[in-house]
Structure formats: C-alpha cells, structure tokens
Amino acid sequence: MSSLVIPSAANSGPLPGELTRATTPAGVLVVFAHGAGAGQHSPFMRRFAALLAARGLDVLTFDFPYLAAGRKLPDRAPILEAAFHDAVAAGVAAFDGAARAVVVAGKSMGGRMATHLAAQPEAWRAAVPLAAAVAFGYPLRPPGPRGGDRVSHLARLSVPTLIVQGTRDTFGGPDEVTAATTGAPRVTVLPVATGDHSLKVTAASGQRQDAVEASIAEAVARFVRDAASVPPA
C-alpha cells in the first residue's frame, strides 16, 4: 500500500489517496469510493481493497473533500462526482500506462456516485476507458424523508454495473433493487444472504464473514474481468 496525493479542482487542496497494488496485475484499476459515514481507512474499505488486489485488480481509495476537510456532512453530488473524476485521473497517471481499463466502485454513497459517473460517459475525461461500475450496498431507500430520485440515472448507464446487496439491507434488499432497476439493462444484482448494508452476515447463517467477503470479491473480480475483457486469473 502506498500513499497518493490527488490534485483536486473539487477541493481547496489535494485529496488523500492510497494505492493497493495487485500481486499479479491484470491492467485494471479500481477506483473505490467510501460511504458517507466512514472514509477510505475504514475496515470495510481496507478489507475489500486487499481482497480485490489479491485477485489481480489494482485499487485506489480516496477521501471525498468533506471528509478530507474534517467535516461530517457529505458534499453535494456535483462535488462528489468531480472529486471522483479527480481520483480517476490521478490513479491513471500513477500507473503510467499500466492501467488499460478503469472500474469505478464504492460502498453505499460511494457506489451511488460510481453509478453517476457511469451514467455520464460524456463527462469521462480519463485517457483510459471506463469498463464497469460496482456498488457495494446501494442506498436505494435511505432512512428519513430525504433521498430523492436515486434510480432514474441507472437507465443511462454506459457500462456493465454490479450491485452487491445484502438481503437484510435496510436501504433496500436485492429484490427491491432488482424491481427498481427493471429499466436499467446494464445492472446485475448480486444478493448476499443475511447480509446487512455493510454485507455483514448473521451468526445464525452459519457462514464465516471472511469466507463471505472472499466469495464476494471473487464474484466482483470475475465480473470486472469479463467487462474489461481480461482473461481469468
């Protein structure tokens, strides 16, 4: 793991990032955004960055501007999107031609922002093409009165998109996500039995959490490789 300073027009200063390099690189860079409540150093982000790197995918995590500035309230979507684009550009530059394809990914809010980027191909400015998007725990229906429209843009997705959703997710389970995305043919939903919004399974399920997460990472890596036309590891 190595640090990366991300120049950002979306922020008053650079954003912090971390590169987790693949053991056997496939030439695919995953730019992985955090959720609203915890940054790139959260256990979830660290675990999945390591799991994906172990399966041949280089991973860049980063902090959105509000978190980098020590604020708790997330920025509005245009700022989050601009920061995401800045992270993609910095990640591609850091790999100096080694990345042949980019995947945008994220947990919860970060995954929603990843789908925003995937639904706006005209705004893509990286020299490397976007191959896929992945959302871990899509926040379909957040608690409280706020939230607005979180699905109409999915019909405009320009690349294959995988949504990994726990069956106990209080923001919406896999069936609800599937029903909400019937008009989005690029979306594939991967259910996680007894998983919550952070994909944590119940003890009663008889499943080990590390085994569940390894299985998820394997499915994500396979999806990404297929989308990027990269042979299996």
Side-chain angles (χ1 to χ4, degrees), residues 3 7 13 24 40 44 47-48 54 56-57 62 81 96 100 105 119 124 137 145-146 157 160 190-191 195 216 223:
S3 297
T24 308
Q40 65 174 324
F44 181 98
R47 286 197 307 274
F48 273 95
L57 306 175
F62 66 99
E81 292 166 11
D96 194 23
R100 300 192 302 273
W124 189 255
R146 296 181 60 191
L157 289 167
L190 174 65
I216 292 170
F223 181 89

Side-chain angles (χ1 to χ4, degrees), residues 18 28-36 38-40 44-45 48-53 57-64 80-81 83-85 87-88 101-119 124 129-139 157 159-164 199 216-217 219-221 223-225 227:
E18 285 193 356
V28 178
L29 171 64
V30 178
V31 183
F32 189 18
H34 61 78
Q40 65 174 324
F44 181 98
M45 296 292 292
F48 273 95
L51 286 166
L52 295 175
L57 306 175
D58 292 302
V59 181
L60 169 63
T61 61
F62 66 99
D63 283 336
F64 282 117
L80 298 175
E81 292 166 11
F84 213 141
H85 278 294
V88 169
V102 170
V103 173
V104 287
K107 181 186 188 303
S108 192
M109 180 192 75
R112 185 163 67 98
M113 290 305 109
T115 65
H116 281 206
L117 266 62
W124 189 255
L130 178 63
V134 180
F136 295 87
Y138 192 84
L157 289 167
V159 293
T161 299
L162 180 65
I163 296 178
V164 185
L199 309 178
I216 292 170
V220 170
F223 181 89
V224 164
R225 285 173 173 273

Side-chain angles (χ1 to χ4, degrees), residues 174-183:
D175 291 345
E176 291 168 283
V177 172
T178 299
T181 57
T182 51

